[in-house]
Amino acid sequence: MERIKGKQQKGTNGRLKVKQSLDPLHQMFTFFVLMCMELQLGLALPGSDTWSRPLLKLGLYEDINVNSKKRGFDHGYLEDEFSTASFKNYEKGLVGWPPVETWRRKKLRCQVHNHMTAAENGYCGGRASNSTYVKVKVEGVVIARKIDISIHQSFETLTTTLMTMFDIFDENRRSFKLTYQDKEGDWLIAEDVPWR
Amino acid sequence: MPKRLAYSLSDEVLEHVFSFIQSDKDRNVVSAVCKSWYEIERWCRRKIFVGNCYAVSPKMVIRRFPQVRSIELKGKPHFADFNLVPDGWGGYVLPWITEMAGAYPWLDEIRLKRMVVTDESLELIAKSFKDFKVLVLASCEGFSTDGLAAIAASCKNLRELDLRESEVDDSSVHWLSHFPETYTSMVSLNISCLGSGEVSFSALECLVSRCPNLRSLKLNRAVPLDKTANILRLAPQLVEFSTCTYSAELRSDVFSNLAGAFSNCKELRSLSGFWDVVPDYLPAIYSVCSRLTSLNLSCATIHSPDLIKLVSHCPSLQRLLVLDYIEDSGLEALASNCKDLQELRVFPSDPFDVEPNASLTEQGLVAVSLGCPKLQSVLYFCRRMSNAALVTIAQNCPNLTRFRLCIIEPNTADYLTGEPFDVGFGAIVEHCKDLIRLSLSGLLTDCVFEYIGKYAKKLEMLSVAFAGDSDLGLHHVLSGCESLRKLEIRDCPFGDKALLTNAAKLETMRSLLMSSCSVSFEACKLLSQKMPRLNVEVIGERGPPDSRPKNCTVDKLYIYRSVAGPRFDMPPFVWTKDEDLALRLSP
């Protein structure tokens, strides 16, 4: 069985991450943003080649409670561990577990996960979702949230919504910065890039 | 010489009396009273239910019951829903339709579940049954919109066409347009499984507008919001409705049109669909919420705050299907608002992620068990559980009839104590004396099976995964559960001994499916020889089982009772004891 992990390491997927600037007065939180394959937005560095479509990628998620392992906040990339953890079921080769009906599984997959770029696989079995939901996870907080990125027109509104979702008050807001990770694995500040 | 009491009840009178007896069980009892009752009963039985299409042959059914009007057939076992039964295993309906086409010209209802239905079968149905009324294809596959077109064109009196969860190939035929202009009898239409290309709006609107008796309409995702409002205005008498795609941006004109359309629907009691719903549109349905008894939000990616708002408008709710986005807080709100709740199903939004996607734990279910005294049926996916919670739930809900718990990570222990869940599930079976269906998960030893065998006397269906230590587990279940009909097991260390010891029990059940357990091919052969009225099918994806070493275990084993003998449509990867079948050519 093909290891999903390998797919994630290929450079074809982009990644979006919201990173907090280091401020000793505030706890460090990191937003990792996971984008749905059908997302029509593109993020491009000015003057560089644009990605045809973004991607999907699994941002990293540090859950301090997972498997009773505590992880420090200063982990940069936990990509490998995350991908191992989240696709554990696939890697175990467990067919039919958890027992979710095939049609429901396909539907969820269209909405949440997509492991290939839009260019490679534009549709999910004829039931292509127009969902532009992005999964956002916060380091130190167990729960991820989903947010529809297509209803936002700027980083400003996106950030505001994210803050509300995670109950982050205005005073802490300045310690957060939206960042993304491009194909090469470099973390770049999202606001430097025009919103598209 | 025994005097024969002459009850002067004529056949007609008896037949009239029997017509009030609908349940299969009662009819079976009636037919066993004496020969004349058997004869009268068999001529007037109109409805047949065949839980396993291979348990009996169509000819046998026809021979005994010559005047059937309604038939329900089930094909593949339940585990097929989760890809545990390979494609091509079987469950073909064509042989049944072929026989019935000749024998039952007045057949008007066909209900199928997990069967392979071809366009040919559908065309045969359309052609053969003049007064055909009800076609339900649940979780079926193998047909396309061509077959649907044949049904639409020929079945003038069709009342119900329900394709729930079936896989339909799009042959690009505008099948809905094949309903003639004169056709007006639709009462229930469920096409929610169809893909985007398979329905034409204008044909749909036309159909809806000319069917005044339409009560249940479940559309597919391709119908946009503004069309939804139109359709609702054409059918304000709807009782059940499945909504369609919600567009991403809130447009106030679309919103008010939709809200107005919903407010006209005074009879609406059940809503589902909500694919890609945007929370801003939800208030459009508030006018019907107070009357809603059933709400299916299991495809809706809306989050807890919006779900809480919605649920607080629905005090009459009896049935809720939802994703884990509802979270514990949402379930607490449900528990305080919906006192009539009978059925709750919480599905995982992200089943393959080990980390939780939403703040849903055992607390949510405990809250519902406390707040909803009428709770009877539970399906709950979560990532953590405790024995304490299970015991509380059991004590709060002694009237549970269905309890299916799926702790997503296999072998997860009680998060508070690290113990297996034997005690927790033991409490469920002990307190819930009417439990008929149970699904286990989490870390479990043979102990839980001992409790199940001891207490679960009414249990009819049990699903087990990654549980138990030894054959003793299986033995407890087979020897203790008197009412057991269906048993499905995967990845448990259950083997030959328990099976062979309890061989006779298997003939009292509909079926047993074991996947990735520890049963040897030798035991399967032995079982087959011992029990001629059992079909023992070994499903082996890795080659013929007898070509592998003797101690090798079989991949999958499907055992079911049958009076029809071995089947003749087995694919090459299924083996039974019959030597001759090994020589058959592969299809």
Side-chain angles (χ1 to χ4, degrees), chain B residues 12 29 62 74 103 154 187 232 240 321 381 451 454 474:
Chain B
E12 288 84 8
V29 169
I62 292 167
K74 293 189 178 181
S154 309
V187 173
L232 276 178
E240 275 191 335
L321 279 68
F381 283 82
Y451 293 136
K454 183 172 175 192
L474 180 57

Side-chain angles (χ1 to χ4, degrees), chain A:
Chain A
M1 180 173 272
E2 197 175 75
R3 288 168 69 84
I4 308 282
K5 191 173 169 180
K7 278 189 206 170
Q8 291 168 349
Q9 285 165 348
K10 285 184 184 143
T12 45
N13 291 322
R15 203 169 312 148
L16 189 71
K17 183 165 89 170
V18 175
K19 198 170 179 181
Q20 187 179 8
S21 62
L22 292 175
D23 184 333
L25 294 179
H26 295 88
Q27 241 184 325
M28 260 200 284
F29 287 97
T30 312
F31 283 116
F32 298 100
V33 180
L34 184 156
M35 299 179 79
C36 233
M37 180 179 93
E38 285 90 354
L39 190 58
Q40 298 306 307
L41 289 182
L43 287 170
L45 292 175
S48 72
D49 276 347
T50 60
W51 308 324
S52 51
R53 303 234 214 144
L55 342 305
L56 183 56
K57 198 1 205 164
L58 287 212
L60 257 200
Y61 173 62
E62 299 183 52
D63 174 16
I64 46 176
N65 292 319
V66 168
N67 299 327
S68 323
K69 280 187 207 151
K70 280 195 170 254
R71 296 186 199 154
F73 286 152
D74 55 356
H75 275 193
Y77 305 101
L78 285 179
E79 176 190 351
D80 293 350
E81 288 154 64
F82 173 64
S83 58
T84 310
S86 75
F87 295 101
K88 205 163 161 184
N89 281 323
Y90 285 127
E91 291 177 5
K92 272 188 186 171
L94 284 177
V95 176
W97 189 268
V100 173
E101 297 114 309
T102 314
W103 66 266
R104 200 183 282 280
R105 202 177 286 214
K106 278 186 198 162
K107 211 226 168 260
L108 288 173
R109 221 175 257 166
C110 277
Q111 279 182 330
V112 179
H113 271 206
N114 236 305
H115 311 301
M116 290 178 258
T117 60
E120 285 170 12
N121 179 23
Y123 304 99
C124 299
R127 294 179 193 184
S129 164
N130 292 324
S131 174
T132 48
Y133 276 87
V134 168
K135 195 171 178 182
V136 184
K137 288 179 180 171
V138 184
E139 185 178 343
V141 173
V142 173
I143 310 313
R145 299 281 176 201
K146 284 204 180 54
I147 170 173
D148 184 358
I149 248 189
S150 67
I151 61 176
H152 291 280
Q153 276 76 46
S154 70
F155 291 115
E156 184 65 35
T157 60
L158 172 63
T159 322
T160 311
T161 312
L162 286 173
M163 298 296 164
T164 319
M165 255 183 187
F166 286 98
D167 291 327
I168 294 165
F169 300 112
D170 278 341
E171 57 262 26
N172 291 335
R173 196 188 157 133
R174 252 166 271 118
S175 58
F176 294 96
K177 263 200 162 64
L178 189 74
T179 61
Y180 69 93
Q181 189 173 35
D182 71 3
K183 305 186 249 202
E184 278 87 58
D186 299 322
W187 290 98
L188 301 147
I189 309 242
E191 275 113 352
D192 289 345
V193 168
W195 180 277
R196 257 201 311 124

